[in-house]
Amino acid sequence: METGGAQAHAKKMIVMTGASAAESSASHFASVMLTQIRSTWNTFRHLVRARENVITVWPKSYYRRELIPVHCLNRWMFVVNSPAGVQQVMVSNAKNYRKSPGNTQMLKPLLGNGLFLSEGELWTRQRRLSNPATHGTRLPGYAQIITTAGQAMLAEWRTHPGPHEEDVMETFTLLTANIISQIMFGYKLGDSVHTLYEAFVEYQASHGRMHLLEFLGLPSWLPRPSLWRGRKAVDKFDRVLAEILRAGKDSEGEMPENFLHMLLSFRDEEGKPMEPSLVRDEMASIFLAGHETTAITLGWAFCMLERHPEVERQLHEELDRVLGGRAPAFADVPNLTYTRAVIDETLRLYPPVHAFTRQAIGADEISGQKIPAGSFITITSWVLHRHTLYWEEPDVFKPERFLPGNLQKINHHAYIPFGAGARICLGKHLGLLESTLLLAMIAQSFRLRVRAGHVVEPLGRMTLRPRGGLPMRIERR
Ligand code: HEM
C-alpha cells in the first residue's frame, strides 16, 4: 500500500532539454515504472494479507494517527481514526456516505436488500418498521426467552459427570441462533439450527473475505468459483428460512406479535404487502446480525476471564452477592454492573464488527483533509478502540473503565461496538441484555478454560472470530 506522499513522489516531473534530457527522462521513466511496479506488488501482498486476516495489516503508527490517506490501486482510501471523524462520517454527514460496494458484495448474496445493506428510502421505511421489534418495552419478555434457552444449555452441560470439552464458539452460536429465532420469529429451531450453522460456516468460507477482483474494480458479474460455492450455502439457509416463514404464517394473528408478524402484516400506501423476497431478506438480515455478534462477544468474554483471574474473581463475587445462587432475571440486570462492564470491555478489545467501510457520495473534508467523491472510508473499531490518544493503557483489559463513576471519561465516538448515527445497531440493547444475562448464568456455575496447547488468535474477516473456534474445558465452579 502506498501513502499519498509516495504517490506524489512517483508523479514528480523533471523538466530538461537536449540529449542528456532524453537519457535522463528515459531513466526517470524507468525509475517511475519500477517504483510503480514495486508499489503495486507491495499493495498486492498487503491485500493478500488483509484478505487472510485484516487486523494484522494495520501498522503500529495507525494506533496514534487520526486520519490516514492511503492510495491503493488508483483509488483513495481514508482510514478515519478519530471520534470527530467518526461523528462526521456516521452521524452529522452520514447522508454523504453509503456502505461500500466491497462490503455489500460480501454480504449481498445472503442478505439481499435487507436492513443491513439497504440504502435510501427503502432503508428508511424498513428501519422505521423494524424499530419496535427491539423497543425497551419488549426486553423483559425477551429476557425470559434468553434465560430459558441458557438454562437448557446449562442443563445439558450438567449431564456431564466431570469436566468436559467443547468448541464453545459453536455452542454459543447455536444458542444465540435459537434465541434470535424465538425472539424475532416465534420459532424454536430444533435440528434446523445445525443446518443454519453449517450454511453460515460454508458461506463464511466462500464469501467471508474481501475479494481481490472486487478491490481491483472488476465487475461483480465476472464468474468466480467462490460465488457458486456460496450459492449452495444460501440455498441451505433459505430452506430453513422457508420453514420458519411457513410456521410464522400459520401463527399470524396470535399474540405475542413478533418481528415476522410485523413484516407479514405490513401494507404500503397502496395497500400492497411486502414483496416475498424482501420478507426473506429482512429475515436473513435480522437472523444473521442478531446471533453471530452476541455469540462472539460471549466467546471473547470467557477468554478474557481466563487471562485475567482478578477480573474473574470480581465477577464471581458480584454474581454470588447479587444472585445468591439463583438464576438471573431481567430485574437483576441493573445490579450486575461489573458483569455488564466485562461485556463492555470485551466489546472494546474484541469488537465483533471490527471495521466499517463506506464510500463518499460527494466530496467532503474531514479534519482538514479533502475527501474526493467516490473515496473509500474505513473506520476500524479494532484500531480506534485501542487508540493511544483516546484510551489510557489501551491494550489492558480493565472492565472498571465502564463502571458508572468512570463512564464520563470515555470519549464519545471512540467506542463504537454498535456503530453510530442513524445506522446504529438495531439490536444494541437486546445484544447487551443477552450477553450480560448469558455471561452471568454461565459464569455463575461454570469455569471455562481454553484447551491446553490451543493458541487463541483473533481472525478479522466478516466478523472478528477466534481462528479455528474456541475449544474449552468446561468445569463446575
Ligand atoms: C453484541 C451484539 C451485537 C453487536 C456487537 C452488533 C454490532 C452491530 C454493528 C457495529 C452494526 C452497524 C454496522 C454498520 O454500520 O455498518 C450493527 C447493525 C445491525 N445490527 Fe447489530 N450487533 C449486535 C447485536 C444485534 C442483535 C441482537 C440484533 C437483532 C435485532 C442486531 C441487528 C442489527 C441490524 C438489523 C443492523 C443493521 C441496522 C441498519 O443498518 O439499520 N444486532 N450491529
Side-chain angles (χ1 to χ4, degrees):
M1 230 178 259
E2 175 190 310
T3 61
Q7 168 75 1
H9 174 75
K11 284 185 175 163
K12 238 188 234 168
M13 298 297 289
I14 304 170
V15 182
M16 286 191 172
T17 52
S20 72
E23 274 165 32
S24 275
S25 80
S27 79
H28 176 66
F29 178 73
S31 116
V32 168
M33 282 306 288
L34 206 67
T35 311
Q36 293 248 329
I37 290 168
R38 206 176 287 138
S39 109
T40 306
W41 172 240
N42 282 342
T43 303
F44 187 75
R45 277 184 24 218
H46 207 82
L47 286 175
V48 170
R49 268 181 59 213
R51 201 175 117 74
E52 170 53 25
N53 186 359
V54 74
I55 61 166
T56 62
V57 303
W58 307 123
K60 269 203 176 122
S61 63
Y62 281 27
Y63 294 79
R64 44 177 199 272
R65 292 174 68 188
E66 300 197 295
L67 193 132
I68 304 115
V70 180
H71 198 259
C72 182
L73 300 173
N74 256 355
R75 290 154 185 244
W76 278 108
M77 197 259 275
F78 297 90
V79 179
V80 173
N81 211 17
S82 69
V86 167
Q87 202 274 346
Q88 188 165 334
V89 172
M90 293 182 131
V91 187
S92 57
N93 199 17
K95 280 203 165 64
N96 189 46
Y97 296 91
R98 61 170 164 242
K99 295 215 166 180
S100 81
N103 187 284
T104 308
Q105 219 75 58
M106 207 187 259
L107 292 164
K108 190 95 177 171
L110 190 62
L111 305 185
N113 285 324
L115 201 54
F116 206 85
L117 296 180
S118 57
E119 302 274 0
E121 280 176 23
L122 177 65
W123 173 80
T124 308
R125 185 188 89 177
Q126 297 298 95
R127 176 79 193 213
R128 202 174 295 139
L129 182 75
S130 307
N131 278 336
T134 51
H135 191 267
T137 51
R138 292 187 178 235
L139 295 183
Y142 293 166
Q144 226 158 8
I145 295 176
I146 294 164
T147 49
T148 307
Q151 290 300 353
M153 182 195 77
L154 294 180
E156 202 280 319
W157 282 7
R158 288 195 183 99
T159 61
H160 296 266
H164 75 285
E165 197 184 287
E166 54 189 73
D167 175 1
V168 297
M169 267 326 301
E170 177 171 349
T171 312
F172 293 158
T173 308
L174 296 176
L175 172 67
T176 55
N178 239 316
I179 289 174
I180 200 72
S181 177
Q182 286 184 64
I183 286 179
M184 293 293 161
F185 313 135
Y187 190 74
K188 265 195 175 170
L189 280 165
D191 281 347
S192 318
V193 75
H194 296 282
T195 314
L196 280 176
Y197 180 75
E198 270 168 39
F200 190 54
V201 169
E202 285 164 24
Y203 188 83
Q204 291 234 36
S206 60
H207 282 65
R209 297 189 245 186
M210 169 186 59
H211 207 290
L212 289 180
L213 291 181
E214 269 135 35
F215 210 90
L216 292 167
L218 299 183
S220 57
W221 48 260
L222 269 185
R224 45 198 88 154
S226 65
L227 289 189
W228 51 261
R229 274 204 310 275
R231 188 64 244 166
K232 283 169 93 177
V234 174
D235 287 346
K236 256 190 204 174
F237 199 78
D238 279 353
R239 280 201 295 279
V240 182
L241 289 184
E243 172 189 323
I244 299 174
L245 186 61
R246 270 196 305 278
K249 283 186 173 160
D250 290 347
S251 65
E252 229 183 327
E254 281 174 23
M255 292 299 279
E257 202 196 38
N258 59 46
F259 176 70
L260 179 55
H261 293 145
M262 280 156 62
L263 295 178
L264 293 173
S265 59
F266 170 82
R267 296 292 176 270
D268 68 12
E269 316 81 61
E270 294 165 22
K272 288 201 213 117
M274 196 178 289
E275 314 85 84
S277 65
L278 189 55
V279 172
R280 179 255 167 235
D281 292 349
E282 294 300 4
M283 287 174 70
S285 304
I286 209 90
F287 178 79
L288 192 68
H291 84 283
E292 158 90 352
T293 42
T294 319
I296 294 176
T297 307
L298 273 182
W300 286 121
F302 281 103
C303 284
M304 292 299 100
L305 290 182
E306 175 172 6
R307 279 187 214 163
H308 301 90
E310 177 49 26
V311 172
E312 189 174 52
R313 193 198 60 71
Q314 288 193 57
L315 176 74
H316 287 159
E317 187 279 317
E318 177 174 274
L319 294 174
D320 295 345
R321 178 170 42 78
V322 174
L323 303 172
R326 64 179 171 76
F330 183 73
D332 295 310
V333 174
N335 300 321
L336 296 173
T337 47
Y338 195 77
T339 316
R340 167 64 192 272
V342 169
I343 293 294
D344 290 333
E345 179 69 340
T346 302
L347 285 167
R348 182 181 72 85
L349 282 181
Y350 295 90
V353 179
H354 56 93
F356 302 79
T357 53
R358 301 287 196 259
Q359 187 173 25
I361 298 166
D364 197 4
E365 191 172 314
I366 302 177
S367 312
Q369 167 75 54
K370 295 227 177 317
I371 310 286
S375 305
F376 292 104
I377 303 290
T378 293
I379 295 171
T380 152
S381 36
W382 171 268
V383 176
L384 190 66
H385 289 183
R386 294 161 182 254
H387 202 293
T388 51
L389 291 180
Y390 313 121
W391 299 95
E392 272 170 32
E393 297 185 280
D395 297 327
V396 182
F397 184 77
K398 275 206 304 197
E400 290 71 23
R401 303 175 203 272
F402 290 94
L403 287 178
N406 298 333
L407 279 173
Q408 71 283 359
K409 287 189 219 146
I410 291 174
N411 200 324
H412 207 41
H413 294 130
Y415 180 68
I416 50 165
F418 295 95
R423 293 207 79 133
I424 196 165
C425 173
L426 179 79
K428 174 179 174 184
H429 299 293
L430 171 59
L432 286 170
L433 173 72
E434 189 174 342
S435 327
T436 307
L437 280 173
L438 291 174
L439 177 65
M441 293 174 77
I442 300 169
Q444 186 184 29
S445 310
F446 290 92
R447 221 181 279 273
L448 274 56
R449 296 290 180 258
V450 174
R451 179 207 287 158
H454 179 84
V455 178
V456 179
E457 184 201 343
L459 184 63
R461 292 210 183 145
M462 204 181 265
T463 48
L464 186 72
R465 279 183 157 254
R467 189 195 284 274
L470 210 45
M472 286 188 120
R473 182 182 151 91
I474 297 163
E475 54 197 37
R476 286 175 198 243
R477 252 187 81 202

